[in-house]
């Protein structure tokens, strides 16, 4: 029997998607599902919801149990799903936004790169290192499927500092081409089944390298359609990047606005309006999610007729492929072992991966176009130094990560960056280890 452990199971909607998918997958329908979360109320709500889906959509085949002890939840697991958020909206996310604002540094999402991404990584990796030690003891052969951001930082840290088989999973590759066609206004004009595409790079900055329609290069038409769309629109930042660097990027414009030095500029405030950049967007999303959950709780948790339809999340397809040997292909975040040849060795890259009984097997990509690799490296610098800081507990590494961040160093002086880092470390308190 397959055992699936979900850490951060209080993320009820996400648990519904991932574990509901598992219950609709024949090879996983009889799984033992272990749930763990530090928020006992949300944990209990998720357990109740999942048991309803198990009854209505899976004839009660799965066994579902919540645990107070994380190590016992992990014991003998075949797969571990990670969806934790250390520090939550309050206090940590608010701190990540409000302190940088005092220094004149504005953000949109702040969960993957930038000063917010650095500190989210520094809060989260120590917790992941703790449960990695537990996994090494009670389920050493399990696969860790990491959905938590900052994806590249966390996945890199786990693969460099632990023995746990880890792959990072994100939604952005799956939705890249459909979103592009929607933003171009051609969603109804073309059948996506006629298209083949290739995507590779790093998480949130992977590139649509090729797209062909029935074997013919479709990029000229994409660039032509893009040139006819007037700014501002919902995807202006990505269209700007495509215009000047030649290729479309996977993750949204609000994310990419803070991964580069070009867009959120206090000396050019007009850019915010011209490109419709939503400052403080993640704070608004958090507030809305909290309010929405209060409205959704009854219809999801206390709905005795709740059912589930399988989503496109990768997790169930990965677990099925490893369990049965039926192969599937995913976009996975893995260490760069000669996969993208002009990105640093052992950086975390996002590439097509074959999955079967041999596990997650990344595929060779080769060189990215020079300009795209250069943009990726600006983010990899920050990711690598953040991971080094988490492993070594060296405060200087945090300073260096922040000093090399493209958005941060385009707006602030060295003196202010270091002062901001010191203030953030103090404000996060016990959510961070002690740095030398």
């Amino acid at each position: 029997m397959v055992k699936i452990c979900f850490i951060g199971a209080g993320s009820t909607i996400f648990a519904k998607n991932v574990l509901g998918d598992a219950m609709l997958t024949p090879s996983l329908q009889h799984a033992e599902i272990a749930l763990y979360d530090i928020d006992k109320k949300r944990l209990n709500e998720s357990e109740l919801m999942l048991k309803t889906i198990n009854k209505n959509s899976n004839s009660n085949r799965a066994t579902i149990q919540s645990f107070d002890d994380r190590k016992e939840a992990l014991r003998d697991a075949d797969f571990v799903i990670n969806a934790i958020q250390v520090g939550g909206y309050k206090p940590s996310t608010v701190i990540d936004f409000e302190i940088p604002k005092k220094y004149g540094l504005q953000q949109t999402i702040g969960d993957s790169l930038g000063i917010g991404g650095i500190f989210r990584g520094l809060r989260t990796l120590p917790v992941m290192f703790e449960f990695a030690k537990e996994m090494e003891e009670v389920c050493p052969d399990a696969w860790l499927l990491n959905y938590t951001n900052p994806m590249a930082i966390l996945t890199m840290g786990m693969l460099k500092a632990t023995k746990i088989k880890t792959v990072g999973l994100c939604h952005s590759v799956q939705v890249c081409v459909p979103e592009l066609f929607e933003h171009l206004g051609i969603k109804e004009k073309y059948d996506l089944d006629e298209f083949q595409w290739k995507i590779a790079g790093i998480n949130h900055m992977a590139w649509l390298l090729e797209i062909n329609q029935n074997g013919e290069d479709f990029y000229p038409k994409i660039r032509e359609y893009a040139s006819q769309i007037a700014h501002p629109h919902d995807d202006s930042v990505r269209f700007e990047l495509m215009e000047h660097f030649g290729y479309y990027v996977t993750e949204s414009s609000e994310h990419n606005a803070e991964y580069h030095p070009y867009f959120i500029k206090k000396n050019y405030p007009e850019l915010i309006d011209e490109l419709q950049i939503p400052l403080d967007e993640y704070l608004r999303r958090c507030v809305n999610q909290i309010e929405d959950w209060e409205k959704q709780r009854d219809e999801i948790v206390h709905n005795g007729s709740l059912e589930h339809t399988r989503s496109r999340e990768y997790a169930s397809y990965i677990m099925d492929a490893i369990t049965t040997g039926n192969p599937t292909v995913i976009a996975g975040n893995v260490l760069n072992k000669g996969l993208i040849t002009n990105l640093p060795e052992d950086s975390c890259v996002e590439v097509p991966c074959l999955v079967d009984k041999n596990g997650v097997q990344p595929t060779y990509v080769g060189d990215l176009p020079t300009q795209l690799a250069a943009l990726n490296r600006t983010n990899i610098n920050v990711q690598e130094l953040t991971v080094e800081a988490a492993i070594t507990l060296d405060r200087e590494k945090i300073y260096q990560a922040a000093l090399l961040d493209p958005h941060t160093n385009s707006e602030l002086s060295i003196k202010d960056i270091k002062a901001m880092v010191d203030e953030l470390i103090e404000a996060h308190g016990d959510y961070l280890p002690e740095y030398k």
Side-chain angles (χ1 to χ4, degrees):
M1 182 185 297
V2 174
K3 179 174 178 180
I4 304 167
C5 176
F6 196 113
I7 299 179
S11 302
T12 306
I13 302 297
F14 188 60
K16 176 182 183 293
N17 288 338
V18 169
L19 297 176
D21 289 354
M23 287 186 265
L24 295 178
T25 304
S27 65
L28 307 174
Q29 285 178 328
H30 293 88
E32 178 184 351
I33 296 174
L35 308 175
Y36 176 81
D37 200 289
I38 60 172
D39 186 331
K40 304 307 178 188
K41 182 173 184 293
R42 291 296 299 265
L43 178 63
N44 292 334
E45 290 171 346
S46 292
E47 180 182 3
L48 178 60
M49 177 268 301
L50 289 165
K51 285 183 173 177
T52 302
I53 292 174
N54 190 33
K55 177 184 176 183
N56 295 336
S57 298
N58 193 33
S59 301
N60 279 323
R61 294 185 184 97
T63 302
I64 301 169
Q65 182 181 357
S66 293
F67 287 81
D68 293 326
D69 186 319
R70 183 178 62 198
K71 189 173 179 180
E72 288 308 308
L74 289 166
R75 189 174 298 278
D76 298 324
D78 299 288
F79 302 99
V80 178
I81 314 294
N82 181 42
I84 64 174
Q85 183 181 357
V86 178
Y89 165 59
K90 287 184 177 179
S92 293
T93 297
V94 172
I95 290 170
D96 284 343
F97 275 79
E98 293 305 316
I99 288 176
K101 273 187 196 175
K102 290 170 52 179
Y103 292 85
L105 188 66
Q106 298 175 298
Q107 299 172 91
T108 53
I109 306 295
D111 73 344
S112 296
L113 204 78
I115 199 67
I118 290 169
F119 274 85
R120 183 178 283 228
L122 294 173
R123 291 194 303 275
T124 309
L125 272 176
V127 177
M128 291 180 68
F129 290 161
E130 287 175 9
F131 69 68
K133 289 179 182 177
E134 295 170 352
M135 289 178 68
E136 288 169 2
E137 183 179 342
V138 301
C139 57
D141 295 324
W143 273 93
L144 176 66
L145 311 184
N146 179 52
Y147 276 99
T148 296
N149 281 327
M151 178 61 61
I153 289 170
L154 301 184
T155 304
M156 187 193 306
M158 289 295 285
L159 289 169
K160 285 187 172 183
T162 81
K163 299 176 182 178
I164 299 303
K165 296 180 291 190
T166 303
V167 61
L169 304 171
C170 183
H171 320 278
S172 59
V173 171
Q174 290 147 291
V175 301
C176 175
V177 172
E179 282 188 354
L180 171 59
F181 277 39
E182 184 173 347
H183 292 304
L184 290 170
I186 59 174
K187 184 178 178 182
E188 308 301 326
K189 185 174 181 177
Y190 292 99
D191 181 358
L192 284 179
D193 289 339
E194 297 178 356
F195 291 84
Q196 172 273 327
W197 53 85
K198 178 180 178 181
I199 294 174
I202 62 173
N203 180 241
H204 282 195
M205 201 191 290
W207 306 98
L208 180 61
L209 299 171
E210 301 172 4
I211 180 165
N212 300 312
Q213 182 188 26
N214 296 322
E216 292 190 13
D217 183 9
F218 194 69
Y219 244 128
K221 286 187 178 178
I222 288 175
R223 295 181 181 111
E224 181 182 348
Y225 285 125
S227 69
Q228 297 168 3
I229 298 177
H231 292 303
H233 56 83
D234 289 343
D235 207 22
S236 288
V237 168
R238 282 200 282 185
F239 276 49
E240 281 281 290
L241 290 169
M242 181 165 59
E243 178 182 350
H244 297 289
F245 292 95
Y247 294 83
Y248 193 66
V249 69
T250 49
E251 188 49 75
S252 64
S253 281
E254 59 265 26
H255 272 286
N256 267 278
E258 63 186 9
Y259 299 161
H260 303 273
Y262 314 117
F263 303 113
I264 304 175
K265 310 288 289 180
K266 60 176 173 281
N267 290 333
Y268 299 93
E270 66 275 10
L271 282 174
I272 304 300
D273 294 328
E274 287 177 11
L275 299 176
Q276 285 194 353
I277 297 171
L279 299 176
D280 294 338
E281 173 66 14
Y282 191 66
L283 293 177
R284 285 190 293 274
R285 289 184 190 178
C286 289
V287 171
N288 290 338
Q289 285 171 356
I290 293 166
E291 292 175 351
D292 288 347
W293 178 243
E294 294 303 316
K295 301 171 186 175
Q296 291 176 337
R297 180 182 284 110
D298 285 342
E299 62 188 65
I300 293 176
V301 174
H302 303 295
N303 177 3
S305 59
L306 183 70
E307 296 181 348
H308 182 71
T309 301
R310 195 175 184 187
S311 76
R312 58 186 173 191
E313 294 290 354
Y314 282 134
S316 67
Y317 297 91
I318 293 170
M319 293 187 288
D320 175 65
I322 293 175
T323 300
T324 67
N326 296 326
T328 191
V329 175
I330 66 160
N333 289 272
V334 296
L335 285 189
N336 187 31
K337 301 290 188 180
L339 303 170
I340 299 181
T341 44
N342 55 351
L343 291 184
E345 188 83 2
D346 282 353
S347 60
C348 184
V349 293
E350 193 167 61
V351 297
C353 300
L354 170 68
V355 189
D356 59 19
K357 281 201 170 186
N358 293 310
V360 178
Q361 302 152 84
T363 62
Y364 174 82
V365 174
D367 274 1
L368 298 179
T370 304
Q371 73 277 19
L372 305 186
L375 289 173
N376 283 166
R377 288 189 206 108
T378 67
N379 283 219
I380 291 170
N381 295 334
V382 182
Q383 294 160 2
E384 289 185 318
L385 281 159
T386 304
V387 169
E388 288 184 19
I391 293 172
T392 65
L393 299 183
D394 183 348
R395 195 184 193 103
E396 286 296 322
K397 300 290 185 183
I398 307 176
Y399 294 144
Q400 291 160 3
L403 289 168
L404 286 168
D405 178 69
H407 173 45
T408 303
N409 66 27
S410 72
E411 292 287 275
L412 303 183
S413 68
I414 291 177
K415 180 181 177 181
D416 281 349
I417 290 171
K418 294 185 74 171
M420 177 177 64
V421 166
D422 287 337
E423 193 170 342
L424 283 162
I425 290 172
E426 183 177 356
H428 282 299
D430 291 341
Y431 283 111
L432 297 174
E434 187 172 344
Y435 289 93
K436 303 186 289 284

